Amino acid sequence: MNDPAVKTRFAGHETFPLRRLWLRKAYEAVREDEKSSQNNTFDKDFGIVRFGVGKNMVAAIRHWAQIFRVIEEDGESGTYRVSRLGQLIFDDETGLDPYMESISTIWLLHWFVASDFERATTWFYAFNHLNAQTFDRDSLTESLGLLCKRLERARSSTATLKRDVECFVRSYVAKAGAGAIDDQIETVLGELGLIKEVSSRSFEFRRGAKPTLHDGIFLFALEEFWQNWAPQQSTLSVEAIVYEPGSPGRVFKLDEHAVVDRLVAIDTASKGAYAWSDTAGVRNVARRRDDVDPLDFLPAAFDAETSQEAA
């Protein structure tokens, strides 16, 4: 991360962590405007009436809907459209989880925000570059400040970084005490248990196996990481999958044992898209097809939850 050309972002959420209904609302609004050819979905005046929130929250809804890939912006016209993923998750008739009731959706959202350095720099840095088990707001802010200096980001003030760090923390850990009920309800990513508050100032990453992380979400993340990190390679080592920044191991806080447990069974889990190899101490995963689409792995995660509920 020493390339000055790399972009960073420490704003856009207006200090509001994601709230559960926002992505559904953004999906519905953009879908309606696509049908009517309107282009003012997130206009600061029209959006206030449409979403029933203040103008800062309208901006936050747009921010999170883009970060979580529910909508896409047309760079030329400035209009928005529903993404393939948005349709796959939120469609009323065929959507995998239209009302965000599944833990698999939450894991997927976490992957999006914690693997995106350029649009959610604090999230990416915290999960992929903080090696200590515990951290606090001040130390994380200081580390981000040093990162900005290395990347020559003079515009990222300490105040901006502090606000971003606070939003990051509140995304995973609800406020405690009186008056914080709404925050506790709306701490969507907190359901994953990835970060635990150990004192009023200190927080701890929870590393290890993640029983609620379905193989379908893990495979989606693995393929995206593969395409971004080593698209020309036909194999990936266990070490890369566990330890490289942006890897499933880093983002999901999986230890090596937990990752290997998943990789050993990857042939079956991926329906033959990947194969596991452990020969002469060299452990890796091989891609058997060149046309793997990460989205193809997602339905299995939600189908599994539906089957468990029916049982």
Side-chain angles (χ1 to χ4, degrees):
M1 294 195 301
N2 292 320
D3 183 357
V6 174
K7 297 178 181 179
T8 57
R9 190 174 190 186
F10 301 98
H13 45 65
E14 304 295 330
T15 72
F16 295 108
L18 174 69
R19 297 192 177 184
R20 184 171 298 276
L21 297 180
W22 282 0
L23 299 184
R24 171 76 187 184
K25 288 182 177 181
Y27 167 81
E28 291 178 336
V30 171
R31 183 184 58 180
E32 289 173 5
D33 288 355
E34 281 185 297
K35 294 178 180 178
S36 61
S37 299
Q38 294 189 68
N39 61 3
N40 61 347
T41 308
F42 300 101
D43 176 79
K44 64 179 181 179
D45 296 319
F46 182 67
I48 290 174
V49 177
R50 182 172 217 167
F51 295 107
V53 299
K55 63 179 182 179
N56 288 349
M57 277 196 178
V58 173
I61 292 172
R62 177 181 59 191
H63 171 82
W64 290 123
Q66 288 183 275
I67 290 286
F68 294 129
R69 309 187 202 176
V70 175
I71 62 173
E72 300 169 339
E73 185 176 10
D74 186 323
E76 296 183 0
S77 66
T79 59
Y80 296 90
R81 58 178 176 265
V82 169
S83 67
R84 282 181 64 206
L85 181 114
Q87 187 75 13
L88 182 66
I89 299 294
F90 290 105
D91 183 80
D92 283 324
E93 296 182 0
T94 62
L96 297 174
D97 188 22
Y99 298 99
M100 283 180 58
E101 298 170 313
S102 169
I103 193 67
S104 287
T105 300
I106 311 305
W107 277 114
L108 192 62
L109 298 181
H110 168 69
W111 168 258
F112 290 151
V113 72
S115 66
D116 192 340
F117 178 82
E118 294 196 349
R119 294 200 297 179
T121 308
T122 294
W123 277 253
F124 184 96
Y125 185 87
F127 277 95
N128 293 280
H129 289 280
L130 287 184
N131 294 319
Q133 192 79 355
T134 59
F135 69 94
D136 58 60
R137 294 179 178 88
D138 291 341
S139 63
L140 178 53
T141 301
E142 183 179 353
S143 295
L144 290 168
L146 294 174
L147 171 67
C148 291
K149 288 182 179 179
R150 291 201 303 272
L151 296 176
E152 300 179 5
R153 298 291 188 272
R155 290 180 299 172
S156 300
S157 68
T158 300
T160 296
L161 297 179
K162 283 184 176 181
R163 287 193 293 269
D164 205 47
V165 167
E166 182 61 22
C167 187
F168 163 73
V169 169
R170 286 177 56 208
S171 293
Y172 294 91
V173 181
K175 286 183 178 179
I181 295 177
D182 288 344
D183 190 65
Q184 292 173 19
I185 294 174
E186 296 294 350
T187 308
V188 179
L189 296 175
E191 294 180 25
L192 304 178
L194 287 165
I195 299 177
K196 176 184 178 182
E197 186 172 14
V198 293
S199 73
S200 60
R201 296 187 178 186
S202 181
F203 305 90
E204 178 182 70
F205 290 113
R206 308 303 298 272
R207 190 171 176 81
K210 303 295 187 297
T212 62
L213 175 63
H214 189 274
D215 282 337
I217 306 300
F218 177 83
L219 291 171
F220 176 95
L222 174 63
E223 180 58 31
E224 283 213 333
F225 169 66
W226 202 325
Q227 292 179 10
N228 291 328
W229 188 73
Q232 303 305 317
Q233 289 184 196
S234 59
T235 63
L236 273 187
S237 68
V238 167
E239 287 72 25
I241 298 169
V242 177
Y243 299 111
E244 282 295 328
S247 67
R250 285 278 194 173
V251 171
F252 295 133
K253 290 298 177 186
L254 298 166
D255 56 30
E256 186 170 324
H257 180 74
V259 170
V260 170
D261 280 349
R262 291 175 183 269
L263 297 182
V264 168
I266 200 168
D267 191 326
T268 301
S270 68
K271 296 183 179 179
Y274 308 110
W276 164 254
S277 175
D278 184 356
T279 305
V282 178
R283 302 174 300 169
N284 59 39
V285 172
R287 186 191 276 128
R288 286 176 167 169
R289 302 200 317 260
D290 295 328
D291 61 343
V292 177
D293 183 345
L295 291 179
D296 290 343
F297 295 122
L298 296 184
F302 297 90
D303 290 345
E305 286 191 45
T306 302
S307 298
Q308 289 175 356
E309 291 173 2

